[in-house]
Amino acid sequence: MHDMSYDHVADEIVVPQFFAFAILTFAGNANGNVAPKRIIMGSKTQINNPHAVTADPVHGEYFVPGRADDHRILVFSRKQEGDVPPIRILNTPHEPARVGVDTVHNLIIVSGNDRLLIYDRLASGDDKPLRTITIPKSEGDRGTSLMAVNSQSGMIFVASGAGGRHEPEDYVGVWSVFDNGEVAPRWTIGGPRGALKDIRGVALDIKNKNVIVTDKTLNAILTFNVPEAF
């Protein structure tokens, strides 16, 4: 599953192309068989089988997490195209699953393994995270992956899975960007031992205080109204 992103400032859709080692940018109203407005692709980009991209609409940047043994996050400017180097590269201690951006508090959040790493938005090289949130061991062997961020409140909504695809152990956990250490989520949505089994997408409807979750096993889109988490 490859995660695209929407840049609401530029009204553009940003898509990772796994096999071409590329990031494609389309107009927000693109329809039919149309060419991308811009393509970032080539050896200088250092992009390798991208599975996700996160657009920062406020600062005009794209964050591309690495895969497997590549523990880096490549950052590109919205204006870049062609065979261009990243404007900065952040090395992380484990494979970055996804990157979230908090544009209000000027932070990025990196999911993966059993933790969330909170960095300054402009972190690069071997900069260390400002804070590290770890799922308590009492919750078992859980990972963190897909996420959405409410920048206004600094709340991170993260898909956390345990067990197989058919076990109702998944949930969306909610943490604050100011949490640190081995911290249980402030709220869990849809589980564990609830509705969710295999989360494949998390999105926020901030206006109506809804969390929208896609689940592969259920073959469904579920909407949870949780105003207290916003």
Coordinates of all heavy atoms in Angstrom, one line a residue, residues 35-128:
A35 N -0.8 13.8 -17.5 CA 0.6 13.8 -17.0 C 0.7 14.5 -15.7 O 0.0 15.5 -15.4 CB 1.5 14.4 -18.1
P36 N 1.7 14.2 -14.9 CA 2.0 14.9 -13.7 C 2.5 16.3 -14.0 O 3.1 16.6 -15.1 CB 3.1 14.1 -13.0 CG 3.2 12.8 -13.7 CD 2.6 13.0 -15.0
K37 N 2.3 17.3 -13.1 CA 2.8 18.6 -13.3 C 4.3 18.6 -13.1 O 5.0 19.3 -13.8 CB 2.2 19.6 -12.2 CG 0.7 19.8 -12.4 CD 0.2 20.7 -11.3 CE 0.8 22.1 -11.2 NZ 0.2 22.9 -10.1
R38 N 4.8 17.8 -12.1 CA 6.2 17.7 -11.8 C 6.5 16.2 -11.5 O 5.7 15.5 -10.9 CB 6.6 18.6 -10.7 CG 6.4 20.1 -11.0 CD 6.9 20.9 -9.8 NE 6.2 20.6 -8.5 CZ 5.0 21.0 -8.2 NH1 4.3 21.8 -9.0 NH2 4.5 20.7 -7.0
I39 N 7.8 15.8 -11.7 CA 8.2 14.5 -11.3 C 9.6 14.7 -10.7 O 10.5 15.3 -11.3 CB 8.4 13.5 -12.5 CG1 7.0 13.3 -13.2 CG2 8.9 12.2 -12.1 CD1 7.1 12.5 -14.5
I40 N 9.8 14.1 -9.5 CA 11.1 14.0 -8.9 C 11.6 12.6 -9.1 O 11.0 11.7 -8.5 CB 11.0 14.4 -7.4 CG1 10.5 15.8 -7.2 CG2 12.4 14.2 -6.7 CD1 10.3 16.2 -5.8
M41 N 12.7 12.4 -9.8 CA 13.1 11.1 -10.2 C 14.6 11.1 -10.7 O 14.9 12.0 -11.4 CB 12.2 10.4 -11.2 CG 12.6 9.0 -11.6 SD 11.4 8.3 -12.8 CE 11.6 9.3 -14.2
G42 N 15.3 10.1 -10.3 CA 16.7 10.0 -10.8 C 17.7 9.7 -9.7 O 17.3 9.7 -8.5
S43 N 18.9 9.4 -10.1 CA 19.9 8.9 -9.1 C 20.2 9.9 -8.0 O 20.5 9.5 -6.9 CB 21.2 8.4 -9.8 OG 21.7 9.5 -10.5
K44 N 20.2 11.2 -8.4 CA 20.5 12.2 -7.4 C 19.5 12.3 -6.3 O 19.8 12.8 -5.2 CB 20.7 13.6 -8.1 CG 21.9 13.7 -9.0 CD 21.9 15.1 -9.6 CE 23.1 15.2 -10.6 NZ 23.0 16.5 -11.3
T45 N 18.3 11.9 -6.5 CA 17.2 12.0 -5.5 C 17.4 11.0 -4.4 O 16.9 11.3 -3.3 CB 15.8 11.7 -6.1 OG1 15.7 10.3 -6.5 CG2 15.6 12.6 -7.4
Q46 N 18.1 9.9 -4.7 CA 18.3 8.8 -3.7 C 17.0 8.2 -3.3 O 17.0 7.4 -2.3 CB 19.1 9.3 -2.4 CG 20.4 10.0 -2.8 CD 21.1 10.5 -1.5 OE1 21.3 9.8 -0.6 NE2 21.4 11.8 -1.6
I47 N 15.9 8.4 -4.0 CA 14.7 7.7 -3.7 C 14.8 6.2 -4.1 O 15.2 5.9 -5.2 CB 13.5 8.4 -4.5 CG1 13.3 9.8 -4.0 CG2 12.2 7.6 -4.4 CD1 12.4 10.7 -4.9
N48 N 14.3 5.4 -3.2 CA 14.4 3.9 -3.5 C 13.1 3.3 -3.1 O 12.7 3.1 -1.9 CB 15.5 3.3 -2.7 CG 15.7 1.9 -2.9 OD1 15.2 1.3 -3.8 ND2 16.5 1.2 -2.1
N49 N 12.3 2.8 -4.1 CA 11.0 2.2 -3.8 C 10.1 2.9 -2.8 O 9.8 2.4 -1.7 CB 11.2 0.7 -3.3 CG 11.7 -0.2 -4.4 OD1 12.7 -0.9 -4.2 ND2 11.1 -0.2 -5.6
P50 N 9.8 4.2 -3.1 CA 9.0 4.9 -2.1 C 7.6 4.4 -1.8 O 6.9 4.1 -2.8 CB 8.9 6.3 -2.7 CG 9.0 6.1 -4.2 CD 9.9 4.9 -4.3
H51 N 7.3 4.2 -0.6 CA 6.0 3.6 -0.2 C 5.0 4.7 0.3 O 3.9 4.4 0.5 CB 6.1 2.5 0.8 CG 6.7 2.9 2.1 ND1 8.0 3.3 2.2 CD2 6.1 3.0 3.3 CE1 8.2 3.6 3.5 NE2 7.1 3.5 4.2
A52 N 5.6 5.9 0.6 CA 4.8 6.9 1.2 C 5.4 8.3 0.9 O 6.6 8.4 0.7 CB 4.6 6.7 2.7
V53 N 4.6 9.3 1.0 CA 5.1 10.7 0.9 C 4.1 11.5 1.7 O 2.9 11.3 1.7 CB 5.2 11.2 -0.5 CG1 3.8 11.2 -1.2 CG2 5.8 12.6 -0.6
T54 N 4.7 12.5 2.5 CA 3.9 13.4 3.3 C 4.2 14.8 2.8 O 5.3 15.3 2.8 CB 4.2 13.3 4.8 OG1 3.9 12.0 5.2 CG2 3.3 14.3 5.6
A55 N 3.1 15.6 2.4 CA 3.3 17.0 2.0 C 3.1 17.9 3.2 O 2.2 17.7 4.0 CB 2.3 17.3 0.9
D56 N 4.0 18.8 3.3 CA 3.8 19.9 4.3 C 3.4 21.1 3.5 O 4.2 21.9 2.9 CB 5.2 20.2 5.0 CG 5.1 21.4 6.0 OD1 4.1 22.1 6.0 OD2 6.1 21.7 6.6
P57 N 2.1 21.4 3.5 CA 1.5 22.5 2.7 C 2.0 23.8 3.1 O 2.2 24.7 2.3 CB 0.0 22.3 2.8 CG -0.2 21.0 3.3 CD 1.0 20.6 4.2
V58 N 2.2 24.0 4.4 CA 2.6 25.4 4.9 C 4.0 25.8 4.5 O 4.2 26.9 4.0 CB 2.5 25.4 6.4 CG1 3.0 26.7 7.0 CG2 1.0 25.2 6.9
H59 N 4.9 24.8 4.6 CA 6.3 25.1 4.2 C 6.7 24.6 2.9 O 7.9 24.8 2.5 CB 7.2 24.5 5.3 CG 6.9 25.0 6.7 ND1 6.2 24.3 7.6 CD2 7.2 26.2 7.3 CE1 6.0 24.9 8.7 NE2 6.7 26.1 8.6
G60 N 5.8 24.0 2.1 CA 6.1 23.6 0.8 C 7.2 22.5 0.7 O 8.1 22.6 -0.2
E61 N 7.1 21.5 1.5 CA 8.1 20.4 1.5 C 7.4 19.0 1.4 O 6.3 18.8 1.9 CB 9.0 20.5 2.7 CG 9.8 21.8 2.7 CD 10.7 21.8 4.0 OE1 10.4 21.1 5.0 OE2 11.7 22.6 3.9
Y62 N 8.2 18.1 0.9 CA 7.7 16.7 0.8 C 8.7 15.8 1.6 O 9.9 16.0 1.5 CB 7.8 16.1 -0.6 CG 6.9 16.8 -1.6 CD1 7.2 16.7 -3.0 CD2 5.8 17.6 -1.3 CE1 6.4 17.3 -4.0 CE2 5.1 18.3 -2.2 CZ 5.3 18.1 -3.6 OH 4.6 18.7 -4.5
F63 N 8.1 14.9 2.5 CA 8.9 14.0 3.3 C 8.7 12.6 2.8 O 7.6 12.1 2.7 CB 8.5 14.1 4.8 CG 8.8 15.4 5.4 CD1 8.0 16.5 5.2 CD2 9.9 15.6 6.2 CE1 8.2 17.7 5.8 CE2 10.2 16.8 6.8 CZ 9.4 17.9 6.6
V64 N 9.8 11.9 2.4 CA 9.8 10.6 1.9 C 10.6 9.6 2.8 O 11.8 9.7 2.8 CB 10.4 10.6 0.4 CG1 10.2 9.2 -0.2 CG2 9.7 11.6 -0.5
P65 N 9.9 8.7 3.5 CA 10.6 7.8 4.4 C 11.2 6.7 3.6 O 10.7 6.2 2.5 CB 9.5 7.3 5.3 CG 8.2 7.4 4.5 CD 8.4 8.6 3.6
G66 N 12.3 6.1 4.1 CA 13.0 5.0 3.4 C 12.4 3.7 3.8 O 11.4 3.6 4.5
R67 N 12.9 2.6 3.2 CA 12.4 1.3 3.5 C 13.5 0.3 3.9 O 14.7 0.5 3.6 CB 11.8 0.7 2.2 CG 10.5 1.3 1.8 CD 9.9 0.7 0.5 NE 9.7 -0.7 0.6 CZ 8.6 -1.2 1.1 NH1 7.6 -0.5 1.5 NH2 8.4 -2.5 1.1
A68 N 13.1 -0.7 4.7 CA 14.0 -1.8 5.0 C 15.3 -1.2 5.7 O 15.2 -0.6 6.8 CB 14.3 -2.6 3.8
D69 N 16.4 -1.4 5.1 CA 17.7 -1.0 5.7 C 18.0 0.5 5.5 O 18.9 1.0 6.1 CB 18.9 -1.8 5.1 CG 18.8 -3.2 5.5 OD1 18.2 -3.5 6.6 OD2 19.3 -4.1 4.8
D70 N 17.1 1.2 4.8 CA 17.3 2.6 4.5 C 16.5 3.4 5.6 O 15.3 3.5 5.5 CB 16.8 3.0 3.1 CG 17.1 4.5 2.8 OD1 17.6 5.2 3.7 OD2 16.8 4.9 1.7
H71 N 17.2 3.8 6.7 CA 16.5 4.5 7.8 C 16.5 6.0 7.7 O 16.5 6.7 8.7 CB 17.2 4.1 9.1 CG 17.1 2.6 9.4 ND1 17.7 2.0 10.4 CD2 16.4 1.6 8.7 CE1 17.5 0.7 10.4 NE2 16.7 0.5 9.4
R72 N 16.5 6.5 6.4 CA 16.5 7.9 6.2 C 15.2 8.5 5.8 O 14.3 7.8 5.3 CB 17.6 8.2 5.1 CG 19.0 7.8 5.4 CD 19.9 8.1 4.2 NE 19.4 7.4 3.0 CZ 19.7 7.8 1.8 NH1 20.6 8.8 1.6 NH2 19.2 7.2 0.7
I73 N 15.0 9.8 6.0 CA 13.9 10.5 5.5 C 14.4 11.6 4.6 O 15.3 12.4 5.0 CB 13.1 11.1 6.6 CG1 12.5 10.1 7.5 CG2 12.0 12.1 6.1 CD1 11.9 10.6 8.8
L74 N 14.0 11.5 3.3 CA 14.5 12.4 2.3 C 13.5 13.6 2.2 O 12.3 13.4 2.2 CB 14.6 11.8 0.9 CG 15.4 10.5 0.9 CD1 15.3 9.9 -0.6 CD2 16.8 10.7 1.3
V75 N 14.0 14.8 2.2 CA 13.1 16.0 2.2 C 13.3 16.8 0.9 O 14.5 17.1 0.6 CB 13.3 16.9 3.4 CG1 12.3 18.0 3.5 CG2 13.3 16.1 4.7
F76 N 12.3 17.1 0.2 CA 12.3 17.8 -1.0 C 11.5 19.1 -1.0 O 10.5 19.1 -0.2 CB 11.9 17.0 -2.2 CG 12.7 15.8 -2.5 CD1 12.4 14.5 -1.9 CD2 13.8 15.8 -3.3 CE1 13.2 13.4 -2.1 CE2 14.6 14.7 -3.5 CZ 14.3 13.5 -2.9
S77 N 11.8 20.1 -1.7 CA 11.0 21.3 -1.8 C 9.9 21.0 -2.8 O 10.0 20.3 -3.8 CB 11.8 22.4 -2.3 OG 11.0 23.5 -2.8
R78 N 8.7 21.6 -2.6 CA 7.6 21.5 -3.5 C 8.0 21.9 -4.9 O 7.5 21.3 -5.9 CB 6.5 22.3 -3.0 CG 5.3 22.4 -3.9 CD 4.4 23.6 -3.5 NE 3.7 23.5 -2.3 CZ 3.5 24.4 -1.4 NH1 4.0 25.6 -1.6 NH2 2.8 24.2 -0.3
K79 N 8.9 22.8 -5.0 CA 9.2 23.4 -6.4 C 10.2 22.5 -7.1 O 10.4 22.8 -8.3 CB 9.8 24.8 -6.2 CG 8.8 25.8 -5.6 CD 9.5 27.1 -5.4 CE 8.5 28.1 -4.7 NZ 9.2 29.5 -4.5
Q80 N 10.8 21.6 -6.5 CA 11.8 20.8 -7.2 C 11.2 19.8 -8.2 O 10.1 19.4 -8.0 CB 12.6 19.9 -6.2 CG 13.6 20.7 -5.3 CD 14.4 19.9 -4.4 OE1 13.9 19.4 -3.4 NE2 15.7 19.6 -4.7
E81 N 12.0 19.5 -9.2 CA 11.5 18.5 -10.2 C 12.8 18.0 -10.9 O 13.8 18.6 -11.0 CB 10.5 19.1 -11.2 CG 11.0 20.3 -12.0 CD 9.9 20.8 -13.0 OE1 9.3 19.9 -13.6 OE2 9.7 22.0 -13.0
G82 N 12.6 16.8 -11.5 CA 13.7 16.2 -12.2 C 14.6 15.4 -11.3 O 14.3 15.0 -10.2
D83 N 15.9 15.3 -11.7 CA 16.9 14.5 -11.0 C 17.6 15.5 -10.1 O 18.6 16.1 -10.5 CB 17.9 13.8 -12.0 CG 18.8 12.9 -11.3 OD1 18.7 12.7 -10.1 OD2 19.7 12.4 -12.0
V84 N 17.1 15.7 -8.9 CA 17.6 16.7 -8.0 C 17.9 16.1 -6.6 O 17.2 15.1 -6.2 CB 16.6 17.9 -7.8 CG1 16.5 18.7 -9.1 CG2 15.2 17.3 -7.3
P85 N 18.9 16.5 -5.9 CA 19.2 16.0 -4.5 C 18.2 16.5 -3.5 O 17.6 17.6 -3.7 CB 20.6 16.5 -4.2 CG 20.7 17.8 -5.0 CD 19.9 17.6 -6.3
P86 N 17.9 15.8 -2.4 CA 17.1 16.3 -1.4 C 17.6 17.6 -0.8 O 18.9 17.8 -0.8 CB 17.1 15.2 -0.3 CG 17.6 14.0 -1.0 CD 18.5 14.5 -2.1
I87 N 16.8 18.4 -0.2 CA 17.2 19.7 0.4 C 17.8 19.4 1.8 O 18.6 20.1 2.3 CB 16.1 20.7 0.5 CG1 14.9 20.2 1.3 CG2 15.7 21.2 -0.9 CD1 13.9 21.3 1.6
R88 N 17.4 18.2 2.4 CA 18.0 17.7 3.6 C 17.7 16.2 3.8 O 16.7 15.8 3.2 CB 17.7 18.5 4.8 CG 16.2 18.6 5.2 CD 16.0 19.5 6.4 NE 14.6 19.5 6.8 CZ 13.7 20.3 6.2 NH1 14.0 21.2 5.2 NH2 12.4 20.3 6.5
I89 N 18.4 15.6 4.6 CA 18.2 14.1 4.8 C 18.3 13.9 6.3 O 19.3 14.4 7.0 CB 19.3 13.3 4.1 CG1 19.1 13.4 2.6 CG2 19.1 11.8 4.5 CD1 20.2 12.7 1.8
L90 N 17.4 13.2 6.9 CA 17.4 12.9 8.4 C 17.6 11.4 8.5 O 16.9 10.6 7.9 CB 16.1 13.3 9.0 CG 15.9 13.0 10.5 CD1 16.9 13.6 11.4 CD2 14.4 13.3 10.9
N91 N 18.6 11.1 9.3 CA 18.8 9.7 9.7 C 18.1 9.3 10.9 O 18.2 10.0 11.9 CB 20.3 9.4 9.9 CG 21.2 9.8 8.7 OD1 20.8 9.5 7.5 ND2 22.3 10.5 8.9
T92 N 17.3 8.2 10.9 CA 16.5 7.8 12.0 C 17.1 6.4 12.5 O 17.7 5.7 11.7 CB 15.0 7.7 11.7 OG1 14.9 6.7 10.7 CG2 14.5 9.0 11.2
P93 N 16.8 6.1 13.8 CA 17.4 4.9 14.3 C 16.7 3.6 13.9 O 17.2 2.5 14.2 CB 17.3 5.1 15.8 CG 16.1 6.0 16.0 CD 16.2 6.9 14.8
H94 N 15.6 3.7 13.2 CA 14.9 2.5 12.7 C 14.2 2.8 11.4 O 14.1 4.0 11.1 CB 13.9 1.9 13.8 CG 12.9 2.8 14.2 ND1 11.9 3.3 13.4 CD2 12.7 3.4 15.4 CE1 11.1 4.1 14.1 NE2 11.6 4.2 15.3
E95 N 13.7 1.8 10.8 CA 13.0 2.1 9.5 C 11.8 3.0 9.8 O 10.9 2.7 10.6 CB 12.5 0.8 8.9 CG 11.7 1.0 7.6 CD 11.1 -0.3 7.0 OE1 11.5 -1.4 7.5 OE2 10.3 -0.2 6.1
P96 N 11.7 4.1 9.1 CA 10.6 5.1 9.3 C 9.4 4.6 8.6 O 9.4 4.4 7.3 CB 11.1 6.4 8.8 CG 12.1 6.0 7.7 CD 12.7 4.7 8.2
A97 N 8.3 4.3 9.3 CA 7.1 3.8 8.6 C 6.4 5.0 7.9 O 6.1 4.9 6.7 CB 6.1 3.1 9.6
R98 N 6.1 6.0 8.6 CA 5.4 7.2 8.1 C 5.9 8.4 8.8 O 6.5 8.4 9.8 CB 3.9 7.1 8.3 CG 3.2 6.0 7.6 CD 3.3 6.1 6.1 NE 2.4 5.1 5.4 CZ 2.9 3.8 5.1 NH1 4.1 3.5 5.5 NH2 2.1 3.0 4.5
V99 N 5.7 9.6 8.1 CA 6.1 10.9 8.7 C 4.8 11.7 8.8 O 4.1 11.9 7.8 CB 7.1 11.6 7.8 CG1 7.5 12.9 8.4 CG2 8.4 10.7 7.6
G100 N 4.6 12.3 10.0 CA 3.6 13.3 10.1 C 4.2 14.7 10.4 O 5.3 14.8 10.9
V101 N 3.5 15.7 10.0 CA 4.0 17.1 10.2 C 3.0 17.9 11.0 O 1.8 17.9 10.8 CB 4.2 17.8 8.8 CG1 4.7 19.2 9.0 CG2 5.1 17.0 7.9
D102 N 3.6 18.5 12.1 CA 2.8 19.4 12.9 C 3.3 20.8 12.5 O 4.4 21.3 13.0 CB 3.1 19.1 14.4 CG 2.3 20.1 15.3 OD1 1.9 21.2 14.9 OD2 2.0 19.7 16.5
T103 N 2.5 21.5 11.7 CA 3.0 22.8 11.2 C 2.9 23.9 12.2 O 3.5 25.0 12.1 CB 2.2 23.2 9.9 OG1 0.8 23.2 10.2 CG2 2.4 22.2 8.8
V104 N 2.0 23.8 13.2 CA 1.9 24.8 14.3 C 3.0 24.8 15.2 O 3.6 25.8 15.6 CB 0.5 24.6 15.0 CG1 0.5 25.5 16.2 CG2 -0.6 24.9 14.1
H105 N 3.4 23.6 15.7 CA 4.5 23.4 16.7 C 5.8 23.2 16.0 O 6.8 23.0 16.7 CB 4.2 22.3 17.7 CG 2.9 22.5 18.4 ND1 1.7 21.9 18.0 CD2 2.6 23.4 19.4 CE1 0.7 22.3 18.8 NE2 1.2 23.2 19.7
N106 N 5.9 23.2 14.7 CA 7.1 23.1 13.9 C 7.9 21.8 14.2 O 9.1 21.8 14.5 CB 8.0 24.3 14.2 CG 8.8 24.7 12.9 OD1 8.3 24.6 11.8 ND2 10.0 25.1 13.1
L107 N 7.1 20.7 14.1 CA 7.7 19.4 14.4 C 7.3 18.4 13.3 O 6.4 18.6 12.5 CB 7.0 18.8 15.7 CG 7.2 19.7 17.0 CD1 6.3 19.2 18.1 CD2 8.7 19.7 17.4
I108 N 8.1 17.3 13.2 CA 7.7 16.1 12.5 C 7.7 14.9 13.4 O 8.4 14.9 14.4 CB 8.7 15.8 11.3 CG1 10.1 15.5 11.7 CG2 8.6 17.0 10.3 CD1 11.0 15.0 10.6
I109 N 6.8 14.0 13.1 CA 6.6 12.8 13.9 C 6.9 11.6 13.0 O 6.4 11.5 11.9 CB 5.2 12.7 14.4 CG1 4.8 14.0 15.3 CG2 5.0 11.4 15.3 CD1 4.1 15.0 14.5
V110 N 7.8 10.7 13.4 CA 8.2 9.6 12.7 C 7.7 8.3 13.4 O 8.0 8.0 14.5 CB 9.7 9.5 12.5 CG1 10.1 8.3 11.6 CG2 10.2 10.8 11.8
S111 N 6.8 7.5 12.7 CA 6.3 6.3 13.3 C 7.2 5.1 12.8 O 8.0 5.2 11.9 CB 4.9 6.0 12.9 OG 4.8 5.8 11.5
G112 N 7.0 4.0 13.5 CA 7.8 2.8 13.2 C 8.1 2.0 14.4 O 8.4 2.6 15.5
N113 N 8.2 0.7 14.3 CA 8.4 -0.2 15.5 C 7.3 0.1 16.5 O 6.2 0.4 16.2 CB 9.8 -0.1 16.0 CG 10.8 -0.7 15.0 OD1 10.5 -1.3 14.1 ND2 12.1 -0.5 15.3
D114 N 7.7 0.2 17.8 CA 6.8 0.4 18.9 C 6.8 1.9 19.4 O 6.5 2.1 20.5 CB 7.1 -0.5 20.0 CG 8.4 -0.3 20.7 OD1 9.3 0.4 20.0 OD2 8.7 -0.9 21.8
R115 N 7.3 2.8 18.5 CA 7.5 4.1 19.0 C 7.2 5.2 18.0 O 7.0 5.0 16.8 CB 8.9 4.3 19.5 CG 10.0 4.1 18.4 CD 11.3 3.7 19.1 NE 11.2 2.6 20.0 CZ 12.1 2.3 20.9 NH1 13.1 3.0 21.1 NH2 11.9 1.2 21.7
L116 N 7.1 6.4 18.5 CA 7.0 7.6 17.7 C 8.1 8.6 18.1 O 8.4 8.8 19.3 CB 5.7 8.4 18.0 CG 4.4 7.6 17.8 CD1 3.2 8.3 18.4 CD2 4.2 7.4 16.3
L117 N 8.9 9.0 17.1 CA 10.0 9.9 17.3 C 9.5 11.4 16.9 O 9.1 11.6 15.8 CB 11.2 9.5 16.4 CG 11.6 8.1 16.6 CD1 12.8 7.8 15.6 CD2 12.1 7.8 18.0
I118 N 9.7 12.3 17.9 CA 9.3 13.7 17.6 C 10.6 14.5 17.4 O 11.5 14.6 18.2 CB 8.6 14.3 18.9 CG1 7.6 13.3 19.4 CG2 8.0 15.6 18.5 CD1 6.4 13.0 18.5
Y119 N 10.7 15.1 16.2 CA 11.9 15.9 15.8 C 11.4 17.3 15.5 O 10.3 17.6 15.1 CB 12.5 15.3 14.5 CG 13.2 14.0 14.6 CD1 12.5 12.8 14.3 CD2 14.6 14.0 14.9 CE1 13.2 11.6 14.4 CE2 15.2 12.8 14.9 CZ 14.5 11.6 14.7 OH 15.2 10.4 14.7
D120 N 12.4 18.2 15.6 CA 12.2 19.5 15.1 C 12.0 19.4 13.6 O 12.6 18.5 12.9 CB 13.5 20.4 15.3 CG 13.3 21.8 14.8 OD1 12.9 22.7 15.6 OD2 13.7 22.1 13.6
R121 N 11.1 20.2 13.0 CA 10.8 20.1 11.6 C 12.0 20.2 10.7 O 12.1 19.5 9.6 CB 9.8 21.1 11.2 CG 9.3 21.0 9.7 CD 8.3 22.1 9.4 NE 8.9 23.5 9.5 CZ 9.7 24.0 8.5 NH1 9.9 23.4 7.4 NH2 10.2 25.2 8.7
L122 N 13.0 20.9 11.0 CA 14.2 21.1 10.2 C 15.3 20.2 10.6 O 16.5 20.4 10.1 CB 14.6 22.6 10.3 CG 13.7 23.6 9.7 CD1 14.2 25.0 10.0 CD2 13.4 23.4 8.3
A123 N 15.1 19.2 11.4 CA 16.1 18.2 11.8 C 16.7 17.6 10.5 O 16.0 17.3 9.6 CB 15.5 17.2 12.7
S124 N 18.0 17.3 10.6 CA 18.7 16.7 9.5 C 19.9 16.0 10.0 O 20.3 16.1 11.2 CB 19.2 17.8 8.5 OG 20.1 18.6 9.0
G125 N 20.5 15.2 9.2 CA 21.7 14.4 9.5 C 21.4 13.5 10.7 O 20.4 12.8 10.7
D126 N 22.3 13.5 11.7 CA 22.1 12.6 12.9 C 21.5 13.4 14.0 O 21.7 13.0 15.2 CB 23.5 12.1 13.3 CG 24.1 11.1 12.3 OD1 23.3 10.4 11.6 OD2 25.3 11.1 12.1
D127 N 20.7 14.4 13.8 CA 20.0 15.1 14.9 C 19.2 14.1 15.6 O 18.5 13.2 15.0 CB 19.1 16.2 14.3 CG 19.9 17.4 13.8 OD1 21.1 17.5 14.0 OD2 19.3 18.3 13.1
K128 N 19.1 14.2 16.9 CA 18.4 13.3 17.8 C 16.9 13.9 17.9 O 16.7 15.1 17.9 CB 19.0 13.2 19.2 CG 20.5 12.8 19.1 CD 20.6 11.4 18.5 CE 22.0 10.9 18.5 NZ 22.2 9.6 17.7

